[in-house]
Every structure is written in C-alpha cells, then in structure tokens.
Amino acid sequence: MMSVVKQEDSNSTTWDISLFTEPQIAATFACINCHNVPRQVLNDVDNRIFCEECCSSLKLTETRSVSAIDKMVLKLQIRCPNNKGAASVNRQNGGKNDVDENEENADDDEKQSQSQEEEEEACKWIGSIEAWQAHNNDNECPFATVAAQHENDCDAQNLVDCELQCGAKLLPKDLDSHVTDDCPQAMQTCKQCNRSDIARKNLDDHVLNDCSERGVVCKYAPYGCEMPIKKGELEQHYEDNAMFHMECKLNAMQTEFKQEITTLEQTVVSQKKTIDHLKYKSVKLQMQVHQKQPIKGDFLIIFESEHQKHSFVCSLNFGYNASHQNSRILKAQSSRRDHIVYRRIKDCSYCVASNVHIDEIIGITSKAKQQHIQQCTPVMSSKCICSFNVVYRIGGDCVNDTANHNICHVLGTDVEFLLPRMVVPRFNHRVVYSALHGILVVGGEPLKKEHAKSVLQEIVKEKSARRSRSSRSEDGKQTKAILRTVEQLKLAPNMALSHYYQVRNANVKKEEEKLEMPPEPELKWRSLASSMEYRRDCPSVALFKSGQKFEERLFVAGGWNESDLSSVEMYNFEKRAWRTVSPLNVKRNSAGLCEWKQKNHNMIIVGGWNKRTTHSVEEYDAYKNQWYSLKPTNHAHRYYPACAVLHDLNPFINTGYGVIVVVGSDGRLYGDEYMQKQQNLIKQNSKKNNLVPPSRPDVTPNVSKNSNANAANAACHIKEDWGFIEFYDPRDWIRKWQVIDNIPNFINFNEEDCKKLYFQSILPCQHNQSCLTNI
C-alpha cells in the first residue's frame, strides 16, 4: 500500500527522506544531524555531510560545498511531494497533542478508508529530482496549486528553535513539552546519587560509568573476592583488603599451576609412549629396507685372518635384562669371492663409531651414499634417518710399505672402502674416534724407511741438546724411531655450512646476490697444530671431558720410549695446545683407558704389557689432578684390554657410578702362529729334559711323560691368553674385582676354535648405545 507523503516546502534546504523511492541509498547522502537529504551538500573539516540549516544552527564555519555529491543527489528517484490532502495531513500532525484519546482509538476500518482516500488524492508521479522541478514549475502537476496554497497557510512557517539549543525546530505550542520530555540538553537528576546537573543525553552513560553509588565488581573477583562494593568505595576496598587479595591470587595461581603441571606430566607420558612407538616403527621400517636383524653389544672383538671363514666381528653383551644372546658373530659380507675385509695386519689399530648418520661416515663415497638414500627414502616417505655402526682400521706393520690398509667397514653390510693414506704411515699406534673431531691417530713408529730416518735425525738432535744440558752419557743404546705427532682425519662440517648458506640466502631477495655452497674439500689426513711433549709407542688414548663447559679433549697416558712411560698429557682442541698433568703411579704401555663420566669425568687405566702393570688399576681425579691406585684385578690384562663403565650389568649393584668392566688380555699369538708357538714350547721343555724336538709338527716326538705333561700344561693356557671378563664394584664396603668368565667360554668357543682364530683387538662401544644395530 502506498503511503501518503509529506508536503515538501519549496523554501526548505533539505529533501524529506520519505520522498525517495529508495531510502537506503538516499540515507548515504543524508545530513548527520537532521537525517534529511540536503539540497546543497556541505562538508566540514572531517568530510561529514551537513545541510545549510544545521550548519547555521550548529555554528559551523569551516564548511565547503560539494558539487559532485549535489549532482548525484539530483539523479535520485523521488515521489511527487504535491498532494491535495497535504494541508489537512500537516494540520493533523501539527495538532496531534490536542487529539482526544477517543479519536486516537478510532476503528481501524475508518483509518484504512481515510488513508485510501488520501492516496487517491495524491500525485502519483515518480522521477528524478531534476525532472520533478520541471514537473512542478510547468504546472504539469494537478496538485501544484493546492500545495502552493497550503504553503501560505501552513503553521510550519512559524517554527522556532529550542531554547536549550539542541538544534530542534518546533511549533511554539510544542516547546514546553519538548523541553520536559524530549530535549537531550535538558538537565536531569540521577536517582542513585541525586546529582542534578546531568544532561538527558548523558544520563545513561552516567548511570553506567560515573555514578558513585552504582555497584561494581572487584578486579580480584576471578580469584575469589565476592564482597559487594560501590564505585566510590573501590579504592578504599583495595587498600583495606590488599593481603586478602594477594592470598586469593596466590591460591588461584597455585591451583592453576597444579593443573598445568598435571597436564604437562600427562603430555610427557603420552609423548614418551609416542616416541617409543616411533622408534620401534623406525627400526622396523629400516629392517624392512635392508632385511637385517639387530645385533646389540657392549664390546666388539675383531678376528683377523687370511681365510674368509676366520675373519669376522663378534659382539659381547653384558646386560642382565637383555632379551638377546650374550654374543653374536657378524661375518663381513663382500661381493668379491676372495676379498677378505679383516685381512691379517700386524700392529694395526681399530676404533668404532656407533649410531652415526650416513653423512657422518668418514670416507664414504657419494655413490654408496646415494644408493642407500634411493633405497631408504621411498619406504620412509621422508629423508633418510638410518643410523650406522662403523669400524675403522688404521695403519699396521706389513712387508709392503706402499700398501694402504686404512679401511672403513659399515657393519652388517657389504659397504667397505679405503680411507686416505696417512701423512706418516705407522704401526704400534693408537686410534680413537670422536664425533666432533673425527679419527685421531696417536704416536707409534713410522712404517716407511724415509720417515723413520727423518724421525731418527730429530731424535739425535733432541739427545744432543739434552746431552749438552746433562753430564750423563747415553751412548750404546739402540734408538727406535718413535713419533710424537697426532694425525687427524675429519669431515668438513657440511651440515653446518649448508644451514648457514640456507639462512643467509633466505634473507637475500636478488638471485644474483645469493651464494652457492662451496664444493666439499678433499678428505685427507692433517697433523694437529702442536705435537706431544713425549714420543710414545703403544700409548693409551681416550677422550676426556674437562673445563667449565666440559669440552672434549684428547687424553694420552703412558707408552714406551726406550722404557715404559708414566707421563700423561691432554690436548685442548680450542687452544690447540698440549698440557701435562699428574703422571701415573706405575709406568706402563699398551694399557686400557676409559672415561668414568658418572664420577666427575675421572679416567681409569687398566693393565699393561710389563709384569708390574698386568694387574694394576689406577683412577685419575681431574679436580685434584692426581692418580689413585684401585684394587688389582684377579687376572692379567696385558695388551690393550677393553674397559668401559656399564650400568646394566648386575641388578643388585645399584650405584649411580656404574661398574667398571675390563675384557681381554692378549690373543695375538694364535691362529696362523699357533703351531709355531707349540714348537717353541716343546723346544723349551726338551732343552730342560735334554730331549730333541721333532722337525715336523705332525710327528710325535719320543719324550718322557714329564715333558708331555709340561707341554699339555702350557697348551691349557690358550683360553686364558685371550683374557678374562672382570668387573669392579665401587661400593664403599666392597671395592673389589669379580670375575665373570674367560672370553672363549663366554662366546662359546672351544679350544680348537681358539687355535684357529687370531684375536686382534677388542673395543668398547659407546655407553647406552647399541653397537651393532644394523641399518
């Protein structure tokens, strides 16, 4: 139903919003004060729209006209404001306060019929404001005369401004009711605080925010304060109840922290389960890739031989709660039929790297690395996370001094390759592996004659210098060429360099300014910055944590140089210098050495080649810089016994320090040399009894019962020569060594097996890491 529009005043400065066919669009051009559309749009300094009347009533001086908006307003569609009943309608609106209540409650049918009549008498023209001006001025509108007559008689011509300057225009008769009921500038009284100087438009804001008698909530209510407070008493409330508020807050924080700790503990337990599950899943996937079975152990025994079946690695496990066997034999695989990985090399040295990533294997070829990654990545659906266990063999004494016997073998696979030659090939040295500093080779004797000659010349110069300072003569002693240098084979830090270049290039926008990672440098041996103070043959070597930051250092003790040595020195990799520490109590060479991490990073040295040291054990206190003697072992440990500190050996030994385990003595005189040793034993017994030994080992000599008994008794020591397994209980009321078994019995080797095998070396694996877990 079409509504009756209001008669538009020709002298007005605005268009009534009800005239427009689309009021929502017209409202965008409306004055923000009277909400009608200005006939001439004026903008203030904030670009707000006002009409001329509002600008004058609000006393706005800095205004400007906007012709662009005026043109848009002229295009808006309006209804014709002229109608025959406009005058009566306006009169009814102006005298609305005089209408009786009975008239207001008239029947709906009467109102509806009246509005229909008025609609019929209104002009039904619709068009733009521009078109309406022509429609109205050219007398096209049949109601234009009626509207003009109404204009002369309308009471709206006599409108006055509100005396409180609220901006409203009213009939004089409506002015009092406006001030009493509607004017926003009229003063009101707050019913709570009885303040009477509040404008009607600010009364609601005063009641909600400023009234001093209104009720407020204490800011410590979330922590437990429930006292009723008025706004005017709030500061006094905070001052009087400061301690109570602090207690409430502390109690709430304590409860919150307890809940958070409980949640974190539950999260940790859940994450541990997830980690264990992922570890199991990772190992299972790795096994699927390489079709291997895990082999775990605490020590490794290297068996060398010229025969393939006698060349292998054996692992020893001492964990009391382990689910696998005490020992496992791992044959070295090879794609070449007659190729022997652990071929017999005298006086060489081995070291083990446990659980290393493929990029951390020293000397591995890019081809072997790429082949493994191509096999591993499709199954793992991500980058390769496999860990490897690697055995390195360095140096050794052989007839052909030009041959390279430096090898790297990835256990459980057929991956085996040569390492670069050392600067000075050597034997009777010692090798240790460091995850930070690579392979370190200490001391020994040069293999090549030209190197031995230059070393001897250096020794002669040193002796002549000492002779000039000392009156003691050193003539007549045969001098050996013994080295004092330490060689290092280390990988370039490619992962760290790669990370540096990635971070650096990520902050560079231009492609031409980005840097390419340099090629990997050549892998070769380098000597440490400084040499040892003492020349050492058959030294004892281990890694040692020292200093406030527990930096890794190289610890070298004992050795041989014309006699056994007791001197000890440490190498600081950061300062690149050696430092001499307290000497050993007993001179020794070829001893076992390990770090006791759980006991202030002390050092333990066990055994040695001479008779005084085969049972001797000493402990180095790093804080006091002093060596202390421990209880001697029950059996001899002559040539580089393996020693380590274990925590999973005995469930009844519940010390935080762990127990020291020593394994091995000397198994180097068996295998290919067994028959020669037996002949020597028989010769010795024959000389004592004036008997002639046989010229062939398969011919039984005609000897007396006593000589045969002596030979049999000597042969009984074959198993014992491999050595015994002992552990040291450090508890104060015990402090003694206990024997577990000899090595052949522990790995189920009989006497005949021992005669065929050459026990070259025994190595401890890194603590709490599986030594032979295959890829």
Side-chain angles (χ1 to χ4, degrees), residues 760-775:
Q760 167 61 33
S761 180
I762 183 166
L763 308 171
C765 299
Q766 295 183 14
H767 185 55
N768 290 336
Q769 292 188 5
S770 55
C771 176
L772 291 177
T773 304
N774 285 343
I775 313 158

Side-chain angles (χ1 to χ4, degrees), residues 297-300 352-356 388-390 433-436 543 552 597 644-646 763-771:
D298 299 311
F299 293 88
L300 290 182
V352 181
S354 301
N355 293 342
V356 295
F388 297 81
N389 301 280
V390 185
Y433 172 80
S434 169
L436 294 176
L543 298 174
E552 191 174 70
K597 296 180 181 179
V645 179
L646 304 182
L763 308 171
C765 299
Q766 295 183 14
H767 185 55
N768 290 336
Q769 292 188 5
S770 55
C771 176

Side-chain angles (χ1 to χ4, degrees), residues 136-147:
N136 186 53
N137 296 333
D138 296 342
N139 296 325
E140 293 181 4
C141 181
F143 301 100
T145 305
V146 177

Side-chain angles (χ1 to χ4, degrees), residues 170-409:
L170 306 162
L171 295 173
K173 65 177 182 178
D174 297 331
L175 188 59
D176 294 338
S177 62
H178 167 74
V179 172
T180 305
D181 300 328
D182 300 324
C183 182
Q185 297 292 348
M187 295 298 154
Q188 302 291 315
T189 302
C190 177
K191 295 180 180 180
Q192 295 181 1
C193 65
N194 296 325
R195 183 178 169 184
S196 59
D197 58 344
I198 306 169
R200 179 181 279 111
K201 64 180 180 180
N202 298 328
L203 183 60
D204 292 340
D205 183 66
H206 167 78
V207 172
L208 292 175
N209 299 318
D210 299 332
C211 184
S212 61
E213 296 297 320
R214 71 181 182 90
V216 294
V217 179
C218 176
K219 66 180 181 181
Y220 293 97
Y223 304 113
C225 181
E226 299 177 353
M227 297 182 184
I229 317 164
K230 294 181 180 180
K231 188 176 187 302
E233 303 171 353
L234 190 59
E235 294 299 329
Q236 187 65 31
H237 168 76
Y238 289 152
E239 184 177 349
D240 296 340
N241 299 279
M243 292 298 297
F244 173 70
H245 290 160
M246 188 61 65
E247 290 177 0
C248 292
K249 190 171 182 179
L250 289 175
N251 292 335
M253 291 175 64
Q254 186 177 6
T255 303
E256 183 181 355
F257 288 155
K258 285 182 179 179
Q259 294 176 354
E260 188 173 355
I261 289 171
T262 303
T263 304
L264 291 175
E265 288 176 349
Q266 294 175 355
T267 304
V268 169
V269 172
S270 176
Q271 288 178 349
K272 283 183 178 179
K273 292 181 180 179
T274 304
I275 290 171
D276 293 339
H277 175 71
L278 291 176
K279 284 182 179 179
Y280 170 75
K281 190 175 180 180
S282 174
V283 173
K284 189 175 180 181
L285 288 174
Q286 293 175 17
M287 295 305 107
Q288 292 177 0
V289 172
H290 303 281
Q291 296 181 356
K292 306 293 180 184
Q293 293 182 353
I295 303 177
K296 295 184 178 181
D298 299 311
F299 293 88
L300 290 182
I301 303 179
I302 310 294
F303 290 97
E304 293 183 343
S305 177
E306 297 295 333
H307 306 287
Q308 184 69 42
K309 64 178 181 178
H310 296 156
S311 170
F312 58 88
V313 177
C314 181
S315 69
L316 305 182
N317 175 63
F318 300 119
Y320 69 91
N321 59 354
S323 59
H324 42 275
Q325 299 177 4
N326 292 336
S327 63
R328 288 286 183 89
I329 293 177
L330 184 66
K331 296 288 185 179
Q333 304 174 11
S334 177
S335 57
R336 291 168 285 179
R337 178 177 297 179
D338 297 331
H339 179 69
I340 300 172
V341 175
Y342 298 105
R343 187 179 294 276
R344 176 77 175 276
I345 301 295
K346 291 183 178 180
D347 298 326
C348 62
S349 186
Y350 286 87
C351 63
V352 181
S354 301
N355 293 342
V356 295
H357 190 264
I358 190 168
D359 292 324
E360 299 172 355
I361 299 177
I362 298 176
I364 190 170
T365 60
S366 57
K367 181 179 179 181
K369 186 190 303 183
Q370 198 64 30
Q371 286 178 350
H372 169 76
I373 293 175
Q374 289 176 355
Q375 291 178 349
C376 188
T377 305
V379 178
M380 306 300 291
S381 301
S382 62
K383 65 179 183 179
C384 174
I385 60 172
C386 300
S387 59
F388 297 81
N389 301 280
V390 185
V391 172
Y392 298 101
R393 184 182 69 192
I394 306 297
D397 187 8
C398 59
V399 177
N400 185 8
D401 58 2
T402 60
N404 182 17
H405 300 291
N406 302 337
I407 65 168
C408 171
H409 177 226

Side-chain angles (χ1 to χ4, degrees), residues 42-53:
L42 297 176
N43 278 5
D44 64 349
V45 293
D46 296 328
N47 292 328
R48 295 180 295 182
I49 297 176
F50 291 92
C51 62
E52 291 180 353
E53 289 185 7

